[in-house]
PDB file of all heavy atoms in Angstrom:
ATOM      1  N   LEU Q  49       9.675   5.314 -10.319  1.00 97.00           N
ATOM      2  CA  LEU Q  49      10.569   5.859  -9.297  1.00 97.00           C
ATOM      3  C   LEU Q  49      12.050   6.181  -9.966  1.00 97.00           C
ATOM      4  O   LEU Q  49      12.746   6.982  -9.357  1.00 97.00           O
ATOM      5  CB  LEU Q  49      10.604   5.015  -8.234  1.00 97.00           C
ATOM      6  CG  LEU Q  49       9.328   4.789  -7.450  1.00 97.00           C
ATOM      7  CD1 LEU Q  49       9.613   3.812  -6.199  1.00 97.00           C
ATOM      8  CD2 LEU Q  49       8.649   6.006  -6.998  1.00 97.00           C
ATOM      9  N   ALA Q  51      13.018   7.619 -12.560  1.00 92.00           N
ATOM     10  CA  ALA Q  51      13.283   9.004 -13.144  1.00 92.00           C
ATOM     11  C   ALA Q  51      12.918  10.017 -12.035  1.00 92.00           C
ATOM     12  O   ALA Q  51      13.077  11.257 -12.329  1.00 92.00           O
ATOM     13  CB  ALA Q  51      12.359   9.198 -14.315  1.00 92.00           C
ATOM     14  N   ALA Q  52      12.460   9.628 -10.939  1.00 95.00           N
ATOM     15  CA  ALA Q  52      12.180  10.698  -9.881  1.00 95.00           C
ATOM     16  C   ALA Q  52      13.249  10.896  -8.842  1.00 95.00           C
ATOM     17  O   ALA Q  52      14.166  10.002  -8.677  1.00 95.00           O
ATOM     18  CB  ALA Q  52      10.925  10.133  -9.115  1.00 95.00           C
ATOM     19  N   ASP Q  53      13.330  12.062  -8.257  1.00 94.00           N
ATOM     20  CA  ASP Q  53      14.301  12.394  -7.271  1.00 94.00           C
ATOM     21  C   ASP Q  53      13.889  11.781  -5.890  1.00 94.00           C
ATOM     22  O   ASP Q  53      13.410  12.523  -4.999  1.00 94.00           O
ATOM     23  CB  ASP Q  53      14.559  13.841  -7.152  1.00 94.00           C
ATOM     24  CG  ASP Q  53      15.661  14.359  -6.224  1.00 94.00           C
ATOM     25  OD1 ASP Q  53      16.388  13.412  -5.844  1.00 94.00           O
ATOM     26  OD2 ASP Q  53      15.461  15.384  -5.738  1.00 94.00           O
ATOM     27  N   VAL Q  54      13.969  10.472  -5.757  1.00 97.00           N
ATOM     28  CA  VAL Q  54      13.632   9.774  -4.537  1.00 97.00           C
ATOM     29  C   VAL Q  54      14.661   8.679  -4.218  1.00 97.00           C
ATOM     30  O   VAL Q  54      15.442   8.210  -5.131  1.00 97.00           O
ATOM     31  CB  VAL Q  54      12.285   9.090  -4.615  1.00 97.00           C
ATOM     32  CG1 VAL Q  54      11.076  10.135  -4.925  1.00 97.00           C
ATOM     33  CG2 VAL Q  54      12.252   8.054  -5.760  1.00 97.00           C
ATOM     34  N   PRO Q  55      14.735   8.311  -2.954  1.00 97.00           N
ATOM     35  CA  PRO Q  55      15.681   7.260  -2.608  1.00 97.00           C
ATOM     36  C   PRO Q  55      15.351   5.947  -3.328  1.00 97.00           C
ATOM     37  O   PRO Q  55      14.177   5.779  -3.603  1.00 97.00           O
ATOM     38  CB  PRO Q  55      15.513   7.214  -1.062  1.00 97.00           C
ATOM     39  CG  PRO Q  55      14.932   8.431  -0.625  1.00 97.00           C
ATOM     40  CD  PRO Q  55      14.049   8.849  -1.759  1.00 97.00           C
ATOM     41  N   ALA Q 212       8.555  10.486  -2.082  1.00 98.00           N
ATOM     42  CA  ALA Q 212       9.421  11.679  -1.744  1.00 98.00           C
ATOM     43  C   ALA Q 212       8.869  12.218  -0.374  1.00 98.00           C
ATOM     44  O   ALA Q 212       9.723  12.644   0.466  1.00 98.00           O
ATOM     45  CB  ALA Q 212       9.221  12.643  -2.917  1.00 98.00           C
ATOM     46  N   GLY Q 216      11.974  11.273   1.594  1.00 92.00           N
ATOM     47  CA  GLY Q 216      12.873  12.367   1.204  1.00 92.00           C
ATOM     48  C   GLY Q 216      13.166  12.229  -0.366  1.00 92.00           C
ATOM     49  O   GLY Q 216      12.918  11.267  -0.933  1.00 92.00           O
ATOM     50  N   GLY Q 217      13.591  13.384  -0.843  1.00 70.00           N
ATOM     51  CA  GLY Q 217      13.866  13.434  -2.237  1.00 70.00           C
ATOM     52  C   GLY Q 217      14.463  14.805  -2.608  1.00 70.00           C
ATOM     53  O   GLY Q 217      14.750  15.592  -1.723  1.00 70.00           O
TER      54      GLY Q 217
END
Side-chain angles (χ1 to χ4, degrees):
L49 302 178
D53 182 21
V54 297

